[in-house]
Amino acid sequence: MVVFGTRPEAIKMLPVIAELRKRPTLAVIACSTGQHREMLQQVTEAFAQPCDMDLGIMVSGQGLTALTSRVLLAMSEVLERDLPDLVLVHGDTTTAMAAAVASFYAGIPVGHVEAGLRSFDLQRPWPEEFNRVTVDSIATLMFAPTETAAANLRREYNQSGRILVTGNTGIDALLTIAARLESDKKLEAVTAGQFRFLDPSRRLVLVTGHRRESFGAGFEGICEGLAEIAERDDVEIVYPVHLNPNVRAVVHRKLAGRPNLHLIEPVGYVEMVWLMTRATVLVTDSGGLQEEGPALGKPVLVMRDVTERPEALASGVVKLIGTDPRKISSSVSQLIDDPVAYASMARRVFPYGDGHAAQRIVDAVEDWMCCDAGADPKPLRGATSK
């Protein structure tokens, strides 16, 4: 059973689901908790990989405690009914954490895709750092995207889980859609037609922002920085605004109606990849864009003070800028105005893999599933040792 609930999870798990469904040895159930129901359908349609069930756990205005409880209860019922041999979860969401805990309570092994990422600060990002540490503490199979993530896992509590360095499945998804846009001229034209409002003579700054730790003063600062950038007549900002009301309220209050700044509804993944390929700079607090930007050769400015993705920082194509409005504005302006600074960050690098992570993960699942019960397991294909 593959469990996901948010749009980023779906983007990164659908390549795994597609690969699992190719294997005649494996029966697959794709289970959505519906944490981001409005945005999930766009992604499942893009990859032509439908869900087998939707738990529909979202209730308007519910907090993390209620969300966690609802996922736990719903997953407990599903696990008792379907009795999967393995539950795969992804990353650091409440869905991933609660589904893993429900599986642990039910005595069902857990596989963690994108295991081992660490900021080493439980408050940043919050609650994501807690979520991923919790999942890794109980996982049987840990699919680390990088050797750094695997090294983190080897130092931690769970010494019985098996680690495999796979690359990141988000790169699988990105390269698949980017290649489709390049080869399918009709798809490219239809996608481009949705953004006729863009002025090709201006530099495109693509923004995403939704982190809980920035709610309040952080988002006030982010908006002030974006407003300052929008005053330039050579720049155009596109900001697909997250559906969380804590984000939408401040963003629309401070930025609506400003020239050169387009606040749009969340877009599908195909549309997002199209925007990324045309952007001059990516400004984000998202983990996904920290991975995707380098693969596309796009500079990424991260509106956070810490990151669990040090490989991107080390490559020199990603930079932490926090939520101070002056820092946001000056960092973007430097890349726009200084060709040398821009060239130093606008390089295609692949710290998160080659686009074949899903195949490695499914090979490992197949190896693990095909072992005789109770026997000493054979090594996973490509697995690293503790």
Side-chain angles (χ1 to χ4, degrees):
M1 179 176 290
V2 182
V3 183
F4 57 93
T6 68
R7 170 193 162 106
E9 284 174 292
I11 290 168
K12 293 184 174 184
M13 285 301 252
L14 287 171
V16 177
I17 292 170
E19 186 66 29
L20 286 166
R21 285 173 169 161
K22 294 177 183 177
R23 307 295 175 99
T25 58
L26 302 173
V28 184
I29 301 171
C31 173
S32 167
T33 65
Q35 188 176 338
H36 283 179
R37 171 177 281 174
E38 296 91 340
M39 296 187 282
L40 281 175
Q41 186 174 354
Q42 299 168 331
V43 181
T44 56
E45 289 176 351
F47 288 91
Q49 294 295 332
C51 296
D52 297 305
M53 66 178 73
D54 182 345
L55 305 185
I57 52 83
M58 283 306 293
V59 173
S60 178
Q62 73 181 344
L64 284 175
T65 302
L67 174 60
T68 303
S69 301
R70 288 173 66 83
V71 175
L72 274 170
L73 290 170
M75 282 303 305
S76 295
E77 293 177 5
V78 167
L79 296 173
E80 183 177 356
R81 181 189 69 216
D82 292 328
L83 294 174
D85 296 297
L86 177 70
V87 171
L88 288 179
V89 300
H90 177 276
D92 55 19
T93 68
T94 299
T95 281
M97 182 273 290
V101 170
S103 302
F104 176 75
Y105 288 166
I108 296 172
V110 172
H112 190 195
V113 177
E114 201 175 89
L117 274 65
R118 297 291 183 269
S119 71
F120 302 102
D121 183 344
L122 283 178
Q123 301 300 317
R124 297 184 299 178
W126 182 89
E128 287 86 354
E129 181 78 355
F130 167 80
N131 289 341
R132 53 181 167 244
V133 170
T134 300
V135 178
D136 284 334
S137 72
I138 58 179
T140 297
L141 302 176
M142 293 179 278
F143 303 113
T146 66
E147 179 55 40
T148 299
N152 292 337
L153 293 167
R154 295 187 195 107
R155 292 192 292 265
E156 293 185 353
Y157 165 80
N158 183 1
Q159 294 295 300
S160 61
R162 282 180 283 170
I163 300 166
L164 176 66
V165 178
T166 62
N168 196 298
T169 57
I171 303 302
D172 297 23
L174 174 71
L175 297 181
T176 296
I177 298 301
R180 191 183 303 170
L181 280 166
E182 186 173 354
S183 63
D184 188 337
K185 299 306 179 185
K186 181 178 179 181
L187 176 63
E188 201 281 336
V190 169
T191 307
Q194 299 179 48
F195 302 101
R196 291 191 182 94
F197 57 83
L198 293 177
D199 182 348
S201 69
R202 297 181 180 183
R203 305 286 188 91
L204 176 60
V205 177
L206 179 61
V207 177
T208 68
H210 69 280
R211 290 286 178 185
R212 281 186 172 87
E213 68 265 26
S214 295
F215 289 175
F219 263 99
E220 295 281 343
I222 287 171
C223 290
E224 290 168 14
L226 296 178
E228 187 171 335
I229 296 165
E231 292 178 3
R232 298 179 58 125
D233 58 11
D234 60 345
V235 165
E236 197 164 25
I237 298 173
V238 172
Y239 185 171
V241 184
H242 198 277
L243 295 176
N244 189 307
N246 292 293
V247 176
R248 295 175 78 83
V250 63
V251 169
H252 282 281
R253 172 170 55 82
K254 295 187 74 74
L255 297 178
R258 289 182 177 271
N260 306 333
L261 203 161
H262 305 283
L263 303 179
I264 64 175
E265 292 300 303
V267 298
Y269 188 59
V270 173
E271 290 77 11
M272 192 64 181
V273 173
W274 187 92
L275 286 168
M276 285 192 286
T277 61
R278 279 146 185 81
T280 300
V281 182
L282 306 179
V283 181
T284 186
D285 63 12
S286 164
L289 263 68
Q290 293 179 60
E291 300 156 354
E292 293 163 332
L296 294 174
K298 304 297 180 178
V300 183
L301 300 175
V302 182
M303 299 180 293
R304 292 164 55 182
D305 298 317
V306 297
T307 181
E308 62 283 357
R309 292 168 170 83
E311 301 87 356
L313 289 179
S315 72
V317 299
V318 171
K319 181 180 179 181
L320 294 174
I321 60 172
T323 60
D324 180 85
R326 290 167 296 181
K327 183 70 170 178
I328 292 171
S329 177
S330 64
S331 298
V332 172
S333 291
Q334 182 184 27
L335 291 175
I336 298 295
D337 296 332
D338 184 343
V340 174
Y342 186 80
S344 71
M345 292 187 69
R347 297 177 287 109
R348 292 191 76 183
V349 296
F350 295 88
Y352 300 108
D354 57 4
H356 298 285
Q359 180 180 340
R360 296 186 185 98
I361 289 167
V362 176
D363 284 347
V365 168
E366 201 167 37
D367 288 347
W368 182 85
M369 294 285 285
C370 292
C371 290
D372 293 333
D376 290 334
K378 62 184 178 181
L380 304 180
R381 280 173 267 185
T384 60
S385 62
K386 285 279 187 182

